[in-house]
Amino acid sequence: MISPAAVARRAAPVLACIGLLAAWQVASLGLKNDSFPTALEAIRAVPDILGDKESLINILASLRRMAIGFGIAVLVSIPLGLLMGRSRAVASFFNPLLMVIYPVPKAALMPIIMLWLGVGEATKILVIFLGVSLPVIYHSFEGAKAVEEKMLWSGAAMGLSALQRLVRIVLPAALPEILTGCRTGLVLALITMITSEMIARQSGAGNILFNALDMGQYDTVYAMIIVVGAMGICLDAVFERVRAGLVRWSEPQFDMPLSFS
Amino acid sequence: MKVVPSRSSDWVRPVTSQKPASAIIEIDRVSQVFQTSARNDHLALSDISLTIEEGAFVSILGPSGCGKSTLLYIVGGFVSPTSGAAKMKGQAITGPGPDRGPVFQEFALFPWKTVLGNVMYGPRQQGVSATEADAQSRALIEMVGLKGYENFYPKELSGGMKQRVALARTLAYHPEVLLMDEPFGALDAHTRTRLQNDLLNIWERDRKTVLFVTHSVDEAVFLSDKVVMMSKSPGRIREVIDIDLPRPRRRNELLLDPRYQKYVVDIERMFDESDHAGSLL
């Protein structure tokens, strides 16, 4: 037996999607602009993209870049953030550097990076890396800083060395905060991935989108936006599943889905 | 001013009268200075010397801010004294070690581990096999009265239960000395009483050396063989009092015992006197 409240909760996101598509459809029919296809036309173009081998290879290449950039960023940023959170010396060394990088849109660095590394994979992966790193470093730092001193003392009394305390106490204790940073980082990875492909146009999902725009295939443009959006929602939903499983011990008994999926 | 009432002098002995043969912890002229700002230093502990005998239950009793927890942290090796030294079995204490097991007011459990995972953590770290650590830990969890809660996470437990887990977690790696830092300070009166009783029952089985920090006179007298009274600003040892009450102690008998009542009243009066003396300065 499902309660009416549960039904309403399940139905709400579906209704929101239908409402948005309906508004799009009406606006498009009303405006009668060639560059603004209707929702139905855009949705009808989605299978064309996903059915095209060339497009699929491009999208998979994008995902690969994104995964590599995200992976390297997480592997570098978590240890760095944790060290900064537990050592004042490390924090005061890296803080000024990060403060400088933080407000700069990572895509704005693309021209310089392209001069060094060309328009290929390395450039795009580096930009994704930069985009993901900062939120992960920041949240790892905050998480590590908040670890209770007495918890570390308890570990030290059991015989854990400083490195063991960092890996086996600070890391798990800060994990909820770290994963919050990773979730932000994942969305930023998608954004920087598309942006980098729009600037260094060679292959990838961002390139398909802009090629379609150049050729006036507006339904493909909108369909591609839908595809990218769906990728983001799916990645976020999968990540949220994993995250919730890893930090169940810290979650308050809270039933409301915080995921936007 | 005469500090000790004459009629209680028969049970008040200076610290120097202890037999050094059975000493497990020696605190030798320890002082601790904290820098509170660029120009201000706060003398938290001033010239503390104290010897703890093996197997004794010793309470450090004093008002908040007298440095009693700091003294415990120095013995634990978590804090280095500004001057002086603490020794464990004749060896200078340079850092934390499994021979001295802390239990904190804040519990400091590992929230990502279950009750069983927390209790097993120390033995596993000490190289005890998983099956053996599991069996020992389950027995300890039962001893502290939490049988059935092995797979609960700390956030699912009440404060009293968390402190029971913390005690079991520390007992699990067999420290020679238990360092208890106001362990029942965050608990309500009822839970506090129950944990005091249970701690005494557990302690009376193997009589580990316990250093117990508290600001409760009742608690100190009820539990201890010896009460170290501290005064504040700067933190100094004011008096060391032997609590000569029979064991095993039962709360319902002890509370009616005039000797227990006399200890409590005398200690409270000594604190009042020192407060009064302080206000005259």
Side-chain angles (χ1 to χ4, degrees):
Chain A
M1 180 68 198
I2 306 162
S3 71
V7 173
R9 213 172 49 214
R10 288 276 169 86
V14 178
L15 285 175
C17 281
I18 293 172
L20 184 68
L21 290 173
W24 175 1
Q25 187 76 14
V26 170
S28 168
L29 288 173
L31 286 169
K32 287 191 172 47
N33 190 330
D34 281 348
S35 63
F36 187 27
T38 65
L40 285 176
E41 282 166 345
I43 291 168
R44 243 182 266 134
V46 170
D48 294 343
I49 295 172
L50 297 179
D52 180 41
K53 199 176 163 211
E54 192 74 11
S55 306
L56 268 185
I57 289 171
N58 270 298
I59 292 170
L60 288 177
S62 292
L63 282 172
R64 184 175 155 272
R65 277 194 280 276
M66 192 183 142
I68 295 172
F70 179 79
I72 297 174
V74 163
L75 287 179
V76 172
S77 305
I78 293 175
L80 178 60
L82 294 182
L83 279 171
M84 285 173 65
R86 295 312 313 175
S87 157
R88 205 167 288 181
V90 176
S92 48
F93 180 81
F94 284 102
N95 243 336
L97 294 173
L98 297 172
M99 293 300 271
V100 170
I101 303 171
Y102 184 58
V104 178
K106 306 309 163 273
L109 300 172
M110 279 284 291
I112 307 169
I113 299 170
M114 277 159 69
L115 282 178
W116 300 339
L117 301 174
V119 292
E121 294 292 295
T123 298
K124 290 165 196 159
I125 290 172
L126 181 60
V127 174
I128 295 168
F129 169 84
L130 290 173
V132 177
S133 292
L134 285 162
V136 179
I137 291 174
Y138 176 75
H139 283 275
S140 305
F141 167 70
E142 289 292 331
K145 217 168 56 171
V147 174
E148 231 186 305
E149 192 83 53
K150 305 277 164 73
M151 210 191 275
L152 294 165
W153 287 4
S154 296
M158 290 176 191
L160 272 80
S161 67
L163 181 65
Q164 284 177 319
R165 291 200 294 275
L166 191 72
V167 176
R168 290 175 51 194
I169 295 180
V170 178
L171 176 64
L175 195 63
E177 184 74 35
I178 293 172
L179 291 179
T180 304
C182 289
R183 194 175 169 193
T184 312
L186 189 64
V187 175
L188 282 171
L190 187 76
I191 293 169
T192 43
M193 180 259 283
I194 298 290
T195 318
S196 71
E197 290 167 353
M198 281 163 27
I199 298 168
R201 283 173 61 182
Q202 202 185 30
S203 71
N207 189 42
I208 298 175
L209 204 157
F210 268 60
N211 276 345
L213 192 66
D214 288 348
M215 293 185 278
Q217 297 165 336
Y218 297 113
D219 52 350
T220 308
V221 172
Y222 278 84
M224 204 55 216
I225 292 171
I226 292 175
V227 169
V228 171
M231 267 161 53
I233 289 170
C234 291
L235 283 171
D236 187 60
V238 169
F239 187 84
E240 177 54 21
R241 272 283 169 88
V242 173
R243 191 198 66 81
L246 283 172
V247 298
R248 192 167 299 138
W249 52 268
S250 76
E251 304 282 281
Q253 259 73 35
F254 198 70
D255 181 53
M256 169 102 169
L258 287 171
S259 161
F260 296 109
S261 53
Chain B
M1 194 192 84
K2 196 169 185 189
V3 177
V4 184
S6 56
R7 61 202 172 91
S8 54
S9 60
D10 56 333
W11 46 261
V12 174
R13 279 190 309 233
V15 64
T16 47
S17 72
Q18 285 154 16
K19 286 158 273 167
S22 59
I24 185 162
I25 292 169
E26 292 157 280
I27 299 167
D28 185 22
R29 281 168 295 153
V30 159
S31 293
Q32 182 71 44
V33 179
F34 289 119
Q35 204 168 34
T36 50
S37 66
R39 277 177 299 168
N40 284 317
D41 287 340
H42 171 65
L43 185 59
L45 291 173
S46 174
D47 203 30
I48 303 276
S49 292
L50 182 68
T51 304
I52 314 275
E53 285 159 44
E54 192 155 4
F57 198 120
V58 178
S59 285
I60 304 176
L61 177 66
S64 36
C66 74
K68 55 192 190 298
S69 288
T70 305
L71 187 60
L72 192 84
Y73 300 158
I74 288 170
V75 175
F78 308 121
V79 170
S80 301
T82 310
S83 67
K87 283 183 191 167
M88 167 88 187
K89 289 192 156 175
Q91 298 285 310
I93 292 168
T94 53
D99 53 345
R100 288 150 288 137
V103 177
F104 298 107
Q105 183 177 5
E106 302 90 337
F107 321 127
L109 296 173
F110 304 137
W112 62 94
K113 291 271 180 197
T114 60
V115 168
L116 183 63
N118 268 282
V119 179
M120 279 177 69
Y121 208 97
R124 291 294 288 142
Q125 178 67 21
Q126 304 294 312
V128 176
S129 75
T131 39
E132 206 178 320
D134 183 279
Q136 287 175 5
S137 300
R138 283 177 192 278
L140 271 170
I141 291 166
E142 190 174 351
M143 187 174 90
V144 297
L146 287 180
K147 193 174 168 57
Y149 290 95
E150 287 83 355
N151 297 321
F152 281 56
Y153 283 98
K155 65 153 186 184
E156 298 169 304
L157 306 178
S158 67
M161 291 161 91
K162 283 182 194 163
Q163 198 56 289
R164 288 168 187 273
V165 178
L167 179 62
R169 180 179 68 169
T170 300
L171 290 173
Y173 54 91
H174 306 296
E176 290 177 61
V177 181
L178 273 181
L179 302 174
M180 307 190 78
D181 180 23
E182 299 198 45
F184 308 143
L187 308 176
D188 64 79
H190 176 68
T191 311
R192 190 183 176 113
T193 306
R194 287 186 55 188
L195 270 127
Q196 287 168 359
N197 290 336
D198 290 355
L199 175 64
L200 261 197
N201 286 336
I202 291 167
W203 180 79
E204 278 166 357
R205 290 182 205 183
D206 60 356
R207 306 230 170 181
K208 254 181 218 309
T209 311
V210 178
L211 201 52
F212 190 101
V213 165
T214 181
H215 59 250
S216 159
V217 177
D218 302 335
E219 184 170 76
V221 174
F222 177 59
L223 296 171
S224 314
D225 297 319
K226 195 187 286 272
V227 173
V228 178
M229 285 176 65
M230 287 185 67
S231 56
K232 69 170 179 178
S233 310
R236 281 208 173 95
I237 292 181
R238 198 184 170 297
E239 208 66 64
V240 178
I241 297 159
D242 286 315
I243 305 297
D244 193 11
L245 292 170
R247 290 187 190 272
R249 294 180 188 168
R250 299 280 165 264
R251 176 175 299 274
N252 50 2
E253 295 163 12
L254 210 63
L255 258 54
L256 296 170
D257 190 325
R259 288 173 296 174
Y260 166 83
Q261 294 161 354
K262 185 174 180 315
Y263 281 121
V264 173
V265 171
D266 283 344
I267 291 172
E268 280 176 352
R269 190 172 47 227
M270 279 189 256
F271 275 121
D272 286 347
E273 280 171 9
S274 65
D275 283 354
H276 188 58
S279 68
L280 289 176
L281 292 174

